[in-house]
Amino acid sequence: MSFIRLVEYSSRRGVATHPYPEKPFEVDELYRGRPVLDASVCIGCGACANACPAETIRVETDYEKGVRRWTICYDRCIFCARCQEVCPVNAIELSREFELAARSREDLTVVAEFKLGSCAKCNSYLDVSIRHVELAQKLLEKSELVNIMRELAKYTVMCMKCRRSFFVEKLGEATRGG
Amino acid sequence: MSGEASPREVLEKYVERLKQLLPREAIVDIKVKGKDKVYVEVKREYLPEVLEKVYWELGGYLSSMVGTDDRNIDSHYRLYYIISIEEDIRHLQWKPWIVVYTKVPWDDPSFKSTTPKVPAASWYEREVKDLLGLEPIGHPDPRRLALPDDWPEGLYPMRKDFKFYERPPRQPKPYMFRPEKVSEGIVQIPMSPIHALADEPSQFRLFVDGERIVDVDYRMFYVFRGLEKLAEERFTYNQTAFLAERVCGICGYAHSTAYCEAVEDALDIEVPERAEYIRTIMLEVERLHSHMLNLGIACHLTAFDWGFMELFRIREKIMKIAEILSGGRKTYGMNLVGGVRRDIPRDKAKKVIELLKTVREEFKRAIDIITSNELFVRRCEGVGILPKKVARALSVVGPLVRGSGIPRDVRYDHPYAAYKYIRVKPAVESGCDVLSRLMVRAREVLDALDIVEHALDQLPGGPILNEEKIELVEYAKGIGYDEAPRGENVHFVVIGKDSRVHKWRVRAATYNNWPALPYMSRDYTITDFPLIVASLDPCYSCTERVVIVDVKSGKTVTVSYARLVHLSRKVSQNPTHTPQLL
Ligand code: SF4
Ligand code: SF4
């Protein structure tokens, strides 16, 4: 092909570039962008932190402040959507947002705190949030095996220590009674 | 296929042949695994002899070699040589894999090197020496390969007693580059390890006589990141599927697929057919964008930038396709052990098929124009010849081996994923030069377009992920493989405790191809070198800067990357003129 024809061929193609960032860049509707947490739904269970391959979501328990702290730092996120996949209450979802340039790490960090539940017996903090406890109770109450589950629901608001002694007590009662 | 021997029959035939071929006292154990794998345990001292026979007499290619630290199991290290049997049975659908392995006692960590008999083993044995401290006795080139030059002696990072967070103190030591032949008046040209654009930094040392390249030596592994170590100590096996996608900046999905296949092979996990199709589609999409990139770069290096621009314009449509199918342009994040995570809805498939039509038409047009450009063809024809014999001896893979007339293609030789149902004919060219490799890629682009379209159209129904609970069998071994754009990727996995892998060995395609570089470069000019490296498709020689050292006077001249590319391009504009470098 002669160069003249090449020029002609190319000019028919028109402009291929996109005037970004003057004009926004449209991405597909199912594009995987920044994961966004709906803190009003999240129970701080930490399933997302366990699954996250980049280990960029962390969930820790702060007994001093009495909170369950959920942190994400977007600079390490690989937008894989594992968090969205494993979340039991659909609290996290990937958006279509991809413009994540920032000057500092802090600007890319999002923190959410959830109040810890407390033990019905000794009043010390549980290692899960209040919401988590409420959800567990709701699920147990809805269960078919009503009686046993109602009974079990009591355990969910106890700390490990009290749960153990409560259980031993019950067991003792049962064996004595039987 | 009717009339063809079943995989089991083929395998049994090879077990018989092995028993006849190998000295009886060499064999400790022969075990058949799955429908196409034989594990042969041999005594340590017979290793080179056995491998020579399997490689040359049974028509094998060395696909990978793995050293494992099993001292916590039985006080031994193990060496696995993974050999793909291909010659003479090219037409069969199921070709056997023969895994020759041996035990190395913990208190005598050495073995006889196979490299003098099978040159393809060279890098693997050097790596095992670096990372596990197993000494290949009689290796012709025992220099460091994987570890940095300032890594302390006697510390082996892939041993189990070395933790991934350890940072040993540095002990600087120079690396000795050496040409095969040393003679008067040879000038050394070092190219420093920083690349502006490539996915793999590497340092080349060109030994030149005037403009003619006499020999090439190289130093790689500047980006040895210890991903395997990280996976073994920190990641769960499902997280590793995502880590595997970060092995390569271009063909990551191929790695993630090979990893998942390895685990699936080890644990006999069945993958639903729909997932196999989806994997195939994504693998071919990856091939499309990778090949277009490489073809574009070849145009750029020969100063035919129209081709570069046009191919990248078309490639952008492929990136869009990837985005539609996976939600990401480059990393698809689709794989999990047992299948894929993301389905392809019907309307998306339709949209992609439409896009593919325009891509096909435009790509054909572009390639017609590029190959009818005489200057381009003259730069690529007869340059960077890799003789068939060398390709065979080094177990070279991908478009490089197919450009040298050997029809090796894992998709055809060991069909995985949906290639069991969609048979691929390897694209072979016989010129052995840069042009042949480019033509192989161009043909593969057209094939890939057909495969994606066909697979999207024929996508079977059903689940996309095997959700049965995975039973982790400790120390089960598995091999995963696929044809990445650059050639065969092979992953080897040994399952470990606590949802982790005990051993994960990644072998990327380019690992088998680099050692061929000196053979391809000798007797060509410095200005051809970037093009020859590009035809290997690892990363082109976009070295940040080039220092030219005159060995006699010690004079050094620094040439920028831009100047080197400029020189390479200038030759195209005036092929009779060789620009002055010094
Ligand atoms: S899995 Fe969901 S609910 Fe649990 S911590 Fe993560 S976002 Fe919150
Ligand atoms: S998208 Fe992936 S990497 Fe990012 S936070 Fe979620 S799980 Fe982690």
Side-chain angles (χ1 to χ4, degrees), chain B residues 178-412:
Chain B
R178 61 181 197 206
E180 211 135 89
K181 302 183 278 281
V182 194
S183 51
E184 268 290 294
I186 302 296
V187 174
Q188 274 194 53
I189 306 184
M191 297 191 178
S192 83
I194 312 301
H195 283 215
L197 296 159
D199 39 84
E200 228 183 325
S202 43
Q203 185 168 192
F204 303 106
R205 193 65 56 116
L206 305 188
F207 297 91
V208 295
D209 182 3
E211 292 294 323
R212 195 173 61 89
I213 299 173
V214 184
D215 207 349
V216 176
D217 197 6
Y218 45 76
R219 178 80 172 104
M220 309 270 163
F221 287 84
Y222 290 97
V223 279
F224 187 73
R225 293 162 289 175
L227 292 179
E228 292 150 325
K229 188 82 185 168
L230 200 62
E232 285 167 25
E233 293 198 0
R234 194 159 162 197
F235 277 34
T236 63
Y237 69 89
N238 252 341
Q239 281 179 320
T240 303
F242 296 91
L243 184 66
E245 197 157 356
R246 269 83 199 158
V247 169
C248 178
I250 296 280
C251 51
Y253 188 74
H255 279 288
S256 141
T257 307
Y259 164 77
C260 290
E261 281 173 353
V263 178
E264 287 151 9
D265 176 43
L267 302 173
D268 291 322
I269 298 168
E270 261 197 53
V271 179
E273 204 177 314
R274 189 175 174 88
E276 293 186 316
Y277 267 82
I278 293 177
R279 280 184 183 175
T280 301
I281 290 165
M282 296 321 293
L283 284 167
E284 291 301 324
V285 167
E286 196 169 71
R287 188 180 326 281
L288 284 170
H289 83 68
S290 173
H291 278 0
M292 285 189 194
L293 178 130
N294 181 259
L295 290 165
I297 296 299
C299 290
H300 173 67
L301 288 174
T302 49
F304 185 39
D305 275 328
W306 180 86
F308 174 66
M309 292 295 180
E310 178 68 2
L311 285 170
F312 267 65
R313 191 182 64 80
I314 302 170
R315 183 177 181 267
E316 188 53 33
K317 296 209 166 84
I318 301 295
M319 304 314 273
K320 191 76 201 169
I321 287 174
E323 185 188 312
I324 294 171
L325 294 176
S326 77
R329 287 166 56 92
K330 173 54 207 54
T331 41
Y332 311 145
M334 297 261 268
N335 280 334
L336 277 185
V337 171
V340 294
R341 306 166 47 215
R342 193 178 160 113
D343 208 351
I344 299 178
R346 193 66 218 148
D347 60 318
K348 297 275 175 203
K350 275 216 186 95
K351 202 167 157 193
V352 170
I353 291 175
E354 276 314 302
L355 269 170
L356 286 172
K357 290 211 169 81
T358 57
V359 170
R360 182 179 294 115
E361 188 198 308
E362 291 180 5
F363 180 78
K364 270 192 186 152
R365 189 70 188 247
I367 284 296
D368 273 351
I369 296 172
I370 291 166
T371 49
S372 60
N373 180 337
E374 207 186 313
L375 282 179
F376 176 81
V377 175
R378 282 216 326 244
R379 274 303 301 281
C380 304
E381 212 169 11
V383 171
I385 300 259
L386 179 69
K388 200 170 170 174
K389 236 173 63 207
V390 180
R392 168 73 181 96
L394 294 175
S395 285
V396 165
V397 297
L400 191 58
V401 77
R402 292 194 283 280
S404 289
I406 303 178
R408 287 195 80 193
D409 187 325
V410 194
R411 293 177 293 171
Y412 181 76

Side-chain angles (χ1 to χ4, degrees), chain B residues 24-302:
Chain B
R24 183 176 291 172
E25 61 278 15
I27 305 177
V28 180
D29 186 29
I30 297 188
K31 258 201 200 86
V32 170
K33 186 175 186 297
K35 65 173 173 303
D36 56 354
K37 296 184 187 75
V38 194
Y39 284 79
V40 189
E41 182 176 353
V42 299
K43 291 212 185 92
R44 181 164 58 138
E45 56 276 23
Y46 288 97
L47 199 57
E49 195 183 322
V50 168
L51 286 166
E52 185 186 14
K53 290 219 161 100
V54 176
Y55 192 91
W56 294 109
E57 286 177 39
L58 290 187
Y61 284 79
L62 186 61
S63 280
S64 185
M65 187 270 236
V66 190
T68 59
D69 177 0
D70 299 337
R71 285 174 302 165
N72 59 340
I73 311 173
D74 60 359
S75 312
H76 281 85
Y77 297 96
R78 276 186 184 73
L79 290 171
Y80 300 85
Y81 289 75
I82 301 170
I83 295 167
S84 157
I85 305 293
E86 293 168 23
E87 263 168 19
D88 309 330
I89 49 165
R90 198 61 80 183
H91 59 285
L92 291 185
Q93 176 158 9
W94 301 100
K95 302 175 189 64
W97 292 92
I98 297 184
V99 183
V100 176
Y101 72 101
T102 193
K103 285 190 196 169
V104 180
W106 69 275
D107 51 355
D108 177 22
S110 67
F111 61 101
K112 271 196 226 157
S113 168
T114 303
T115 307
K117 300 202 162 126
V118 180
S122 176
W123 270 37
Y124 295 102
E125 296 187 335
R126 284 169 73 184
E127 185 180 316
V128 156
K129 180 185 172 203
D130 277 12
L131 302 181
L132 273 175
L134 307 183
E135 181 75 34
I137 296 167
H139 194 291
D141 182 8
R143 288 176 299 173
R144 268 200 181 161
L145 179 75
L147 288 179
D149 296 325
D150 58 4
W151 187 270
E153 292 284 340
L155 196 62
Y156 307 108
M158 286 311 277
R159 284 195 179 173
K160 289 285 172 192
D161 40 21
F162 184 90
K163 292 288 157 231
F164 76 93
Y165 45 78
E166 277 178 58
R167 299 283 179 272
R170 296 171 164 207
Q171 289 172 4
K173 231 174 53 186
Y175 183 80
M176 292 308 292
F177 287 94
R178 61 181 197 206
E180 211 135 89
K181 302 183 278 281
V182 194
S183 51
E184 268 290 294
I186 302 296
V187 174
Q188 274 194 53
I189 306 184
M191 297 191 178
S192 83
I194 312 301
H195 283 215
L197 296 159
D199 39 84
E200 228 183 325
S202 43
Q203 185 168 192
F204 303 106
R205 193 65 56 116
L206 305 188
F207 297 91
V208 295
D209 182 3
E211 292 294 323
R212 195 173 61 89
I213 299 173
V214 184
D215 207 349
V216 176
D217 197 6
Y218 45 76
R219 178 80 172 104
M220 309 270 163
F221 287 84
Y222 290 97
V223 279
F224 187 73
R225 293 162 289 175
L227 292 179
E228 292 150 325
K229 188 82 185 168
L230 200 62
E232 285 167 25
E233 293 198 0
R234 194 159 162 197
F235 277 34
T236 63
Y237 69 89
N238 252 341
Q239 281 179 320
T240 303
F242 296 91
L243 184 66
E245 197 157 356
R246 269 83 199 158
V247 169
C248 178
I250 296 280
C251 51
Y253 188 74
H255 279 288
S256 141
T257 307
Y259 164 77
C260 290
E261 281 173 353
V263 178
E264 287 151 9
D265 176 43
L267 302 173
D268 291 322
I269 298 168
E270 261 197 53
V271 179
E273 204 177 314
R274 189 175 174 88
E276 293 186 316
Y277 267 82
I278 293 177
R279 280 184 183 175
T280 301
I281 290 165
M282 296 321 293
L283 284 167
E284 291 301 324
V285 167
E286 196 169 71
R287 188 180 326 281
L288 284 170
H289 83 68
S290 173
H291 278 0
M292 285 189 194
L293 178 130
N294 181 259
L295 290 165
I297 296 299
C299 290
H300 173 67
L301 288 174
T302 49

